[in-house]
Amino acid sequence: MRNILHLSDEELQVAKRIDNYFKYCDMSFRDKVFHTILIAQYELEGHHFSNEYERQRILQFIRVSDDLLQKTV
């Protein structure tokens, strides 16, 4: 997370959630973000949400995670 100064508040919040979720994994932050996007897409494709609001939150989480992934290049 070397570009921490260039993250929006939302990106920073998501980055912390991702890092905490994969706390005990020996992966780079970029790999953590990549796997997070895969998991979130699986949730969408499997319809693992109960209403439209949750679906939109997952979509927003994917968008922010994708932005983080682009910033870790």
Side-chain angles (χ1 to χ4, degrees):
M1 290 186 5
R2 11 168 227 226
N3 293 334
I4 199 162
L5 298 176
H6 303 299
L7 299 179
S8 69
D9 290 339
E10 186 176 28
E11 289 170 337
L12 186 57
Q13 197 173 37
V14 168
K16 287 178 182 178
R17 286 178 61 194
I18 291 170
D19 210 34
N20 190 44
Y21 182 81
F22 291 103
K23 185 181 268 184
Y24 301 107
C25 292
D26 188 26
M27 288 191 276
S28 69
F29 182 71
R30 182 170 172 72
D31 288 341
K32 291 177 182 181
V33 174
F34 175 77
H35 284 91
T36 296
I37 293 169
L38 290 179
I39 292 166
Q41 287 176 336
Y42 173 78
E43 288 181 357
L44 276 180
E45 291 171 6
H47 298 279
H48 297 279
F49 49 87
S50 61
N51 57 41
E52 181 61 21
Y53 175 73
E54 286 183 6
R55 188 180 83 77
Q56 289 298 322
R57 287 192 63 198
I58 294 169
L59 286 170
Q60 179 63 18
F61 186 77
I62 291 171
R63 280 191 284 274
V64 174
S65 297
D66 189 51
D67 290 345
L68 284 172
L69 189 64
Q70 298 307 314
K71 289 183 177 185
T72 60
V73 173

